[in-house]
Amino acid sequence: MTDTTTKAPAAAGRGPVPLPAAVARLLIAVGAVGTIASTFLSWTWTPDFPGDLTFYGYPAGLQILALVGGALTLLFGLTLWNVKGLRWLNPANATSPVLLTALSAFAVCWFTGIAIAVDLGGLVNLDPGGFVAMAASALPVVGALALPHPAPGTGVRGYLTKPQQPRPGKLSPLAERGIITAGTAIALVAFTYGIGIDNDASETFIGFLLLLVFAAWGLMHTGLVDRFATISAQHKAFASTLAFVAAVVFPFTQSDDHNANVGVNILIFATVALGLNIVVGLTGLLDLGYVAFLGVGAYAAALVSGSEYSRFSGVHFPFWAAALTGMAASLVFGVLIGAPTLRLRGDYLAIVTLGFGEIFRITVNNLDGDSGPNITRGPNGITQIPDLNIFGFNLGEAHDIGGFTLGRFANYLFLMLIVTAIVVLVFTRASDSRIGRSWIAIREDETAATAMGINGFRVKLVAFALGASLAGLAGTVMAHVNYSVNPQPYQFAGAAPPNSAFLLAAVVLGGMGTVSGPLLGASVLYLVPEKLQFLQNYELFAFGIALILLMRFRPEGIIANRRRQLEFHETGQLDVPAQATLSDDPAVTKAGA
């Protein structure tokens, strides 16, 4: 008897595929094309919805995000058809990247449809393009779920389990640098788009987050993120330089100086988080009052920077002297607090540092001339701090450079880029040094490290003092950016950053012990409340939910330190053998040597 079963094109390494799988792939392609086409239609008849989705042939707002999601779905869907030239996007020919990218478009389209109905009063406000987008974006999800199950018997977990990737081929150094350049450019475009979303367009920013989360999740399942991280590590100097150049280019892409202000604040908090990362991430000391060191640096700089409300109003140090004053004051406080307390461990140390943070805030609140000496002006703070003037360049004035007008906050952004580069250099050099390896040894097992001859108290005191001085450096810039300092922000938890809970969450969320982790964590934790104004009354609740989810699904943080990844996962769950993974950690390699 002749077999008349229709066969679909063979996927790489799978042989003939039954018809249902071919239909599933067709659903993915048709749904992705339909999603892309729907973005050129009107989704609602009224321009009252953020982004004005009433135009035909001109995607805007959430339609642009749906277009990107649909394009990613189509691109990864085509990898299942073994399209020549796309195999590198999905080397394992896995289902999960296709499902996750399909979910990115699905989440954006369905969120938009529901948001239009809720904001404008019913589904009647949806134009045909909105219904087409919702229907078309559902097809790739159905198609991905209809494909052969990647791990039969595991349920949903099988679809969301990261597949084992084949060993990547060797690329030329030029090609690897090209990949780093492309990845950096994509990151710059994504960040620029996200920060440029209007604060009143919360719906657009939520759609941006949905697309970003699912698309990044899908890229991680393809192995591209790990491959990019490996290549960047091999060309560390080139990748760091390119990231710095991208940050320099950012102000030239913004027409609103407010966005540059957001960028400045992100860099300030990221710099402070990097200092805290020395204490928490490398040394393993739980510091719950770290924001006080930021306040010490800010107040010290404010007192000597020429403010007429300063107790020393006749003193006006240049910036370099004010920065050194802020760093020195924070370092002294770090030593004074650390010397008697660092013999404590665990929860006891956390309680002492929490107490120090509260004592600092209460003290500067009472130094108002009534409850104590008139030094900080109490709740009123020190105001009218003059803008910085560095080598005749007034950072408070707008400047025209190459046809672009850079406002006040753009000038301070460039200054903070230099400060951040210095802090990153200090962090990396310290972590790779002998004392950095001592910090890691103390974090892993203080008793064993002490038995091996490491002076635990001295090593921890150096970490505490260095972290405090870096926070003080950031505080000197923050005082000038904000024109004033007051006691309100310097508390453990508050309605807005900076606060110790925010800084600690940035380190844990981004990835303890890494350089880029706190930078990413601070960016996310500052940008989300800034764009989602309705979360202001629920910020701590949202932080709690985010940290619970993170601890459940990725306890090592978004950007994982390889050593911590081994601590939280079994060897079989990693993409590389344990021995190879250990060799990627410079601290382990040097310790083994």
Side-chain angles (χ1 to χ4, degrees):
M1 181 182 293
T2 304
D3 185 2
T4 58
T5 304
T6 306
K7 304 292 183 180
R14 288 186 179 175
V17 179
L19 179 61
V23 173
R25 291 175 180 152
L26 188 61
L27 281 177
I28 294 171
V30 171
V33 172
T35 302
I36 295 172
S38 70
T39 61
F40 293 90
L41 304 175
S42 171
W43 285 16
T44 180
W45 60 274
T46 172
D48 293 338
F49 190 78
D52 193 358
L53 312 182
T54 61
F55 293 99
Y56 285 87
Y58 186 77
L62 285 160
Q63 290 174 324
I64 296 177
L65 301 176
L67 176 62
V68 173
L72 287 174
T73 304
L74 180 61
L75 195 62
F76 283 96
L78 290 176
T79 63
L80 299 178
W81 290 92
N82 198 25
V83 176
K84 185 177 181 180
L86 296 181
R87 179 69 185 275
W88 62 273
L89 284 173
N90 189 6
N93 208 24
T95 303
S96 57
V98 181
L99 175 61
L100 290 168
T101 51
L103 285 173
S104 69
F106 175 81
V108 171
C109 293
W110 279 76
F111 167 75
T112 306
I114 294 172
I116 291 174
V118 172
D119 290 355
L120 303 181
L123 292 173
V124 68
N125 293 283
L126 277 167
D127 271 358
F131 290 107
V132 171
M134 295 173 71
S137 63
L139 294 180
V141 177
V142 175
L145 293 174
L147 289 170
H149 199 289
T154 58
V156 177
R157 181 182 294 272
Y159 286 100
L160 303 182
T161 299
K162 187 176 178 181
Q164 292 291 331
Q165 302 295 333
R167 184 177 295 274
K170 183 65 177 177
L171 298 175
S172 66
L174 182 61
E176 291 180 338
R177 287 184 170 85
I179 291 173
I180 296 173
T181 304
T184 305
I186 292 172
L188 176 62
V189 170
F191 181 77
T192 301
Y193 183 88
I195 204 172
I197 296 174
D198 191 75
N199 288 359
D200 296 329
S202 297
E203 295 86 350
T204 304
F205 191 76
I206 292 175
F208 172 74
L209 289 180
L210 291 172
L211 174 67
L212 192 64
V213 168
F214 282 107
W217 196 358
L219 290 175
M220 291 177 66
H221 275 225
T222 62
L224 294 179
V225 174
D226 292 335
R227 179 62 170 155
F228 181 81
T230 302
I231 293 175
S232 298
Q234 293 171 351
H235 302 274
K236 189 175 181 179
F238 179 78
S240 301
T241 303
L242 207 59
F244 184 80
V245 170
V248 171
V249 171
F250 167 73
F252 294 95
T253 66
Q254 303 300 306
S255 58
D256 187 356
D257 201 38
H258 173 74
N259 295 335
N261 183 26
V262 174
V264 171
N265 286 305
I266 287 175
L267 286 178
I268 289 174
F269 300 137
T271 300
V272 182
L274 272 174
L276 180 60
N277 200 20
I278 294 176
V279 179
V280 176
L282 294 181
T283 318
L285 304 176
L286 183 56
D287 188 346
L288 299 182
Y290 186 76
V291 74
F293 297 121
L294 175 68
V296 170
Y299 268 98
L303 287 170
V304 299
S305 293
S307 169
E308 61 179 283
Y309 292 98
S310 167
R311 180 68 175 80
F312 313 104
S313 56
V315 178
H316 191 175
F317 285 1
F319 171 68
W320 65 267
L324 290 177
T325 301
M327 292 179 66
S330 295
L331 187 147
V332 169
F333 271 87
V335 172
L336 290 177
I337 299 302
T341 61
L342 285 178
R343 299 188 188 278
L344 301 174
R345 298 188 188 183
D347 297 340
Y348 300 102
L349 178 62
I351 292 172
V352 171
T353 55
L354 177 61
F356 164 65
E358 289 302 304
I359 289 171
F360 168 78
R361 183 178 60 84
I362 294 171
T363 300
V364 296
N365 200 50
N366 289 334
L367 296 179
D368 56 357
D370 295 326
S371 303
N374 184 16
I375 298 178
T376 64
R377 297 184 71 233
N380 295 322
I382 301 173
T383 57
Q384 295 189 16
I385 300 173
D387 281 308
L388 293 173
N389 193 304
I390 302 177
F391 301 118
F393 189 87
N394 190 338
L395 272 65
E397 299 177 354
H399 298 84
D400 291 329
I401 299 178
F404 295 91
T405 300
L406 300 179
R408 175 179 182 271
F409 293 117
N411 297 330
Y412 278 103
L413 178 62
F414 290 130
L415 176 62
M416 270 310 303
L417 282 174
I418 297 174
V419 172
T420 303
I422 293 173
V423 173
V424 168
L425 179 63
V426 171
F427 180 91
T428 53
R429 297 294 293 176
S431 62
D432 291 339
S433 68
R434 179 177 180 180
I435 195 169
R437 297 195 294 275
S438 299
W439 288 337
I440 295 174
I442 291 289
R443 182 192 70 194
E444 298 300 326
D445 192 328
E446 184 173 352
T447 303
T450 304
M452 294 299 294
I454 294 176
N455 188 330
F457 173 75
R458 182 180 65 84
V459 168
K460 291 191 291 184
L461 187 61
V462 170
F464 218 69
L466 180 59
S469 61
L470 294 180
L473 175 60
T476 62
V477 179
M478 189 179 73
H480 290 87
V481 171
N482 296 337
Y483 288 123
S484 65
V485 290
N486 64 82
Q488 181 61 30
Y490 307 108
Q491 50 188 318
F492 173 69
N499 56 67
S500 292
F502 170 89
L503 295 171
L504 187 60
V507 174
V508 175
L509 175 67
M512 292 190 291
T514 64
V515 174
S516 51
L519 298 176
L520 177 61
S523 301
V524 172
L525 292 180
Y526 187 88
L527 196 58
V528 171
E530 171 73 16
K531 297 300 181 180
L532 303 181
Q533 298 292 332
F534 66 88
L535 281 180
Q536 287 186 348
N537 296 329
Y538 307 96
E539 185 174 348
L540 292 179
F541 176 75
F543 276 8
I545 295 296
L547 289 178
I548 289 173
L549 293 175
L550 183 72
M551 292 300 100
R552 171 60 183 85
F553 296 104
R554 195 170 176 83
E556 67 271 23
I558 298 176
I559 300 177
N561 177 274
R562 301 302 284 175
R563 180 193 294 269
R564 285 194 169 273
Q565 198 170 26
L566 284 173
E567 294 175 1
F568 287 111
H569 298 280
E570 297 178 1
T571 304
Q573 294 176 315
L574 299 177
D575 295 335
V576 293
Q579 185 177 359
T581 305
L582 284 173
S583 66
D584 292 337
D585 192 328
V588 180
T589 304
K590 293 179 181 178

